Amino acid sequence: MKWINRNDSESNYEDRRGRGVKRGAAFGGVGMIIVAIIALLLGKNPFQAIDMVNSVVPGQTSEEVVDPSRMNENEDLKVFTLGVFNSANDVWTEIFRTQMGESYRHPVLVNFTDQTTSACGGATAQVGPFYCPGDEKVYIDLNFFHQLTHDYGAKGDMAMAYVTAHEVGHHVQKLLGIVDQVNQYRGRISEAEYNKIMVKMELQADFFAGLWANQASKLGIIQLEPGDLESAISATTAVGDDTLQKEAMGYTVPDSFTHGTAAQRTYWFRKGYQTGDIRQGDTFNDPSLR
């Protein structure tokens, strides 16, 4: 992936590198990692599981811990991720203006180290990149990209770009009212049925990531090079629910899927890239996902 016109603006950027959150209760560190792993094995949202534990531990306090030696950590990944983030916002600004006649509200990118807090609760790096609709911010511990390469085998710039563009896709869903509509079903239908809706939302964010790649190329922001699509697809394959569950347990539990299979995630990313048309991304009414 080659930059043609990279936007390095930090107007919607919050740098928390080297600034962690230390919790005063005994349950933390390795304990939080265990909670995240158990949640993943059960098909749960590890972010919510960790936040739930935080909320019930009596007398737990937290404080900010600053490590100056890590405040400029992964600077190359910060520059790259910020460029992708800004390009995604430029793409969606244009789509909202030309196709919807509306203004696009920018989210904020937060880079953090190890642990952080958000309007959605506390989170550790083990949760992975996430979008919080409560404060409209995308949270990424840049060390995740090392994990993406070494642990998941998803290499190359486009694998990393896909992750950031996917999270911005969730912000687009927030602006379109989709996130709020999905949340209305929480607790009102069975867990299996709700998981199916979550899969549709995640696959649409994958579609939006592919759409970003299409439009960023057309707008002269990036130029895709040989191997770039394969790089992105290595990431969509690596984070499929079936892939993760097989690696963790040796088998899959389809009713617990919350993000979609590797094949589904790859299909919708490809569709977004190939069509570049937001109208083609209605996963909620696609017959194949019923």
Side-chain angles (χ1 to χ4, degrees), residues 108-156:
V108 172
L109 172 64
V110 179
N111 286 149
F112 68 96
T113 301
D114 296 339
Q115 300 181 58
T116 193
T117 58
S118 73
C120 297
T124 68
Q126 284 73 28
V127 174
F130 66 93
Y131 169 73
C132 175
D135 54 23
E136 299 188 359
K137 295 181 180 181
V138 171
Y139 292 83
I140 301 178
D141 183 327
L142 295 170
N143 281 317
F144 172 80
F145 293 124
H146 295 302
Q147 182 182 9
L148 185 67
T149 298
H150 299 297
D151 296 347
Y152 294 98
K155 303 178 180 179

Side-chain angles (χ1 to χ4, degrees), residues 4-18:
I4 303 301
N5 185 21
R6 192 179 69 200
N7 180 354
D8 292 326
S9 170
E10 297 189 4
S11 59
N12 293 288
Y13 177 65
E14 189 176 333
D15 194 348
R16 299 185 192 175
R17 288 177 296 169

Side-chain angles (χ1 to χ4, degrees), residues 36-47:
I37 293 174
I38 292 175
L40 285 170
L41 293 179
L42 295 176
K44 306 293 185 181
N45 184 335
F47 178 66

Side-chain angles (χ1 to χ4, degrees), residues 8-271:
D8 292 326
S9 170
E10 297 189 4
S11 59
N12 293 288
Y13 177 65
E14 189 176 333
D15 194 348
R16 299 185 192 175
R17 288 177 296 169
R19 299 178 182 274
V21 178
K22 181 179 181 181
R23 298 194 174 276
F27 196 91
V30 174
M32 287 302 180
I33 297 175
I34 293 174
V35 170
I37 293 174
I38 292 175
L40 285 170
L41 293 179
L42 295 176
K44 306 293 185 181
N45 184 335
F47 178 66
Q48 292 177 344
I50 290 172
D51 191 42
M52 179 181 69
V53 171
N54 287 341
S55 68
V56 300
V57 176
Q60 178 164 280
T61 59
S62 62
E63 61 178 330
E64 183 179 71
V65 179
V66 179
D67 183 350
S69 69
R70 302 187 68 184
M71 296 184 74
N72 292 312
E73 191 174 67
N74 295 313
E75 183 66 17
D76 56 335
L77 295 177
K78 173 255 183 175
V79 172
F80 177 82
T81 302
L82 181 60
V84 174
F85 177 78
N86 286 336
S87 71
N89 287 319
D90 291 341
V91 163
W92 286 110
T93 295
E94 184 68 10
I95 291 175
F96 270 57
R97 182 183 67 83
T98 61
Q99 298 185 29
M100 305 178 193
E102 298 180 8
S103 297
Y104 173 78
R105 185 170 67 248
H106 285 53
V108 172
L109 172 64
V110 179
N111 286 149
F112 68 96
T113 301
D114 296 339
Q115 300 181 58
T116 193
T117 58
S118 73
C120 297
T124 68
Q126 284 73 28
V127 174
F130 66 93
Y131 169 73
C132 175
D135 54 23
E136 299 188 359
K137 295 181 180 181
V138 171
Y139 292 83
I140 301 178
D141 183 327
L142 295 170
N143 281 317
F144 172 80
F145 293 124
H146 295 302
Q147 182 182 9
L148 185 67
T149 298
H150 299 297
D151 296 347
Y152 294 98
K155 303 178 180 179
D157 288 349
M158 277 298 292
M160 296 188 293
Y162 153 75
V163 172
T164 303
H166 172 95
E167 298 305 333
V168 175
H170 283 312
H171 177 66
V172 173
Q173 292 174 320
K174 164 69 174 178
L175 298 184
L176 296 177
I178 295 171
V179 172
D180 292 336
Q181 291 175 19
V182 168
N183 284 338
Q184 289 179 359
Y185 288 99
R186 190 186 301 273
R188 297 172 56 186
I189 59 178
S190 70
E191 183 175 354
E193 289 301 314
Y194 185 72
N195 286 345
K196 290 181 181 180
I197 295 177
M198 290 297 294
V199 166
K200 294 177 183 180
M201 186 161 71
E202 293 295 334
L203 294 179
Q204 186 177 62
D206 286 334
F207 174 89
F208 287 162
L211 187 151
W212 159 78
N214 175 292
Q215 293 297 307
S217 298
K218 289 183 177 178
L219 292 174
I221 299 174
I222 63 173
Q223 178 181 325
L224 296 187
E225 300 175 303
D228 280 340
L229 285 181
E230 290 77 8
S231 171
I233 290 170
S234 71
T236 61
T237 301
V239 297
D241 283 323
D242 53 341
T243 303
L244 295 175
Q245 288 191 0
K246 284 179 181 178
E247 290 179 353
M249 304 184 296
Y251 59 92
T252 64
V253 184
D255 282 347
S256 71
F257 290 175
T258 57
H259 288 67
T261 66
Q264 288 173 326
R265 304 199 71 169
T266 298
Y267 171 81
W268 284 99
F269 174 84
R270 279 186 180 276
K271 187 174 182 180

